[in-house]
Amino acid sequence: MAANDTAAAQKGPKSYFPSIEAKYGKPMSEWFAFLVPHTGEKHMEQVAALKAQGMGHGHANAVVHVFRAEHGGAGE
């Protein structure tokens, strides 16, 4: 399956993941691992941590949304 096929199949924030991986050169698993020490921080604090790594705001917001929803990133 081509990257465009994957993006078309995904909806919502995950639709950004192929672009994020291509633009920043890291798989999503590494971005989620980077956020683990930031578990429990506010959403925008987590976004700021990704932006400090060079990620754009929209991409960072998408990563944090999924991190909080599916990887326990809200710390609850």
Side-chain angles (χ1 to χ4, degrees), residues 6 9 15 17 19 21-22 25 27-28 33 37 41 49 52 59-61 63 65-66 73:
T6 302
S15 67
F17 288 3
S19 297
E21 291 178 331
M28 294 311 302
E41 292 179 3
H59 284 163
N61 193 53
V63 174
H65 178 82
V66 174

Side-chain angles (χ1 to χ4, degrees), residues 35-76:
L35 284 172
V36 167
H38 299 278
T39 297
E41 292 179 3
K42 293 181 179 181
H43 180 98
M44 290 308 296
E45 292 171 338
Q46 293 171 335
V47 168
L50 289 171
K51 289 174 69 174
Q53 299 298 306
M55 188 176 285
H57 181 84
H59 284 163
N61 193 53
V63 174
V64 169
H65 178 82
V66 174
F67 178 67
R68 293 174 71 84
E70 298 182 11
H71 298 272
E76 296 172 357

Side-chain angles (χ1 to χ4, degrees), residues 1-8 18:
M1 180 178 284
N4 289 342
D5 294 337
T6 302

